[in-house]
Each structure stands twice: as structure tokens, then as C-alpha cells.
Amino acid sequence: MKYKAKVFVTLRPSVLDPAGTAVQSALTQMSYNVESVRIGKYVEMVLDATDESEASDRLHQACDQLLANPVIENYRFELVEAL
Amino acid sequence: MKYKAKVFVTLRPSVLDPAGTAVQSALTQMSYNVESVRIGKYVEMVLDATDESEASDRLHQACDQLLANPVIENYRFELVEAL
């Protein structure tokens, strides 16, 4: 069966986010009232699996091995059956 | 009032995604059964606004002006009151 996954990879709160800081100061200069900006990766994937739990396990492995750097990043994902 | 925004910036479907293609082939080599991978930006922001509609308007402007490149990217966002 096909599953559609939405993966959100974000820097751990304790890790400095230079890109986010740069965007925040640009927005502030453009007179936006922004308190904080954190930038991460958003990955949309379609994967094959026998059932949802296998899809979830495979996704955890893919995140641990490739999509997220466990030292500085957290990840979470949403998994739905692809129509 | 403070609002927390989650912004998803993705490449338009018609635009080639070299990063996504690279991740897909890496995952395939690692024997993952992946049909497609698209990579985008995920931005978490906290902004000040008088009400939700002003926050939404400001966020649209920020996306149009800075966070997304309208030529090759689409964006959508989720807006909730920050506690």
C-alpha cells in the first residue's frame, strides 16, 4: 500500500538558528512585528509499505539515518494512506 | 496578541526538485521503497497582531515578500494563538 508522509525536521531549541535570525531581522526591518523565527525542513514523501506500522517504522529509520541529524535536529511526521 | 505561525513553503509541482531527487535515490540505495520525495522549508514564527485576521494578512505579506519565491514556490500556513 502507498502512504504519504509529511516530515518536519527542526533544529533542537538549544541550537542557534542563524537562518532564522537573519529572516527575523529582515522582517523586523520591513516593519513586521515578529518575536521569533525558526527555520527547518519540510519533506513530503510517498512510500510503499504493507501496513501503517511498517510505514511508520521505515519512516523513523529514514529520519534517523538520513533526513535528520540527531545531534542538532528533532523530527516528527504525519502519515496518511495515499489515495 | 501573540500568534504562532507554521509556514510550509514547497516547490511548485512543475518545478524540478534536485534535493528531493538526491534524497530519493539515496533512500532507494538504502533499500527504502520510496516513490517520491519533495523537500521544502518549514518556518515557525511568533508574531504580534491585534487579531487573527491582521496576523493572517501580515503573514501573507511576509510570505509574498520574503519567505517564498512566488515564481517557483507555493506556501500555506497554520495560525494559532500563542499561549
Side-chain angles (χ1 to χ4, degrees):
Chain A
M1 283 167 68
K2 288 198 197 320
Y3 289 90
K4 181 160 186 176
K6 294 180 179 177
V7 183
F8 309 93
V9 180
T10 51
L11 288 169
R12 288 177 185 268
S14 56
V15 177
L16 209 59
D17 179 6
T21 310
V23 168
Q24 183 179 348
S25 63
L27 286 173
T28 306
Q29 277 168 23
M30 296 159 71
S31 70
Y32 286 91
N33 214 336
V34 176
E35 194 178 285
S36 75
V37 177
R38 301 279 293 179
I39 297 181
K41 285 175 282 195
Y42 170 61
V43 183
E44 286 181 348
M45 290 168 62
V46 174
L47 62 155
D48 263 308
T50 48
D51 55 31
E52 186 153 344
S53 78
E54 191 212 344
S56 175
D57 291 346
R58 295 297 280 161
L59 207 46
H60 272 296
Q61 286 168 22
C63 289
D64 290 334
Q65 289 181 337
L66 188 71
L67 299 180
N69 175 348
V71 175
I72 60 168
E73 290 173 329
N74 291 325
Y75 69 83
R76 62 183 177 83
F77 56 76
E78 294 161 9
L79 199 58
V80 291
E81 218 176 295
L83 303 176
Chain B
M1 284 168 68
K2 286 195 197 318
Y3 289 88
K4 180 160 185 175
K6 294 180 179 177
V7 183
F8 309 92
V9 180
T10 52
L11 288 170
R12 288 176 184 268
S14 56
V15 177
L16 209 60
D17 179 6
T21 310
V23 168
Q24 183 179 348
S25 63
L27 287 172
T28 306
Q29 278 168 24
M30 297 159 72
S31 68
Y32 286 90
N33 214 337
V34 177
E35 194 180 287
S36 75
V37 177
R38 301 279 294 179
I39 297 182
K41 285 175 280 193
Y42 171 60
V43 183
E44 285 181 349
M45 289 167 64
V46 174
L47 62 154
D48 263 307
T50 48
D51 55 31
E52 186 154 343
S53 78
E54 190 212 345
S56 175
D57 291 346
R58 296 296 281 161
L59 206 46
H60 273 295
Q61 286 169 21
C63 289
D64 290 334
Q65 289 182 335
L66 187 72
L67 299 179
N69 174 349
V71 175
I72 59 168
E73 291 173 329
N74 291 325
Y75 68 83
R76 62 183 177 84
F77 56 77
E78 293 162 8
L79 201 56
V80 291
E81 217 175 297
L83 302 177

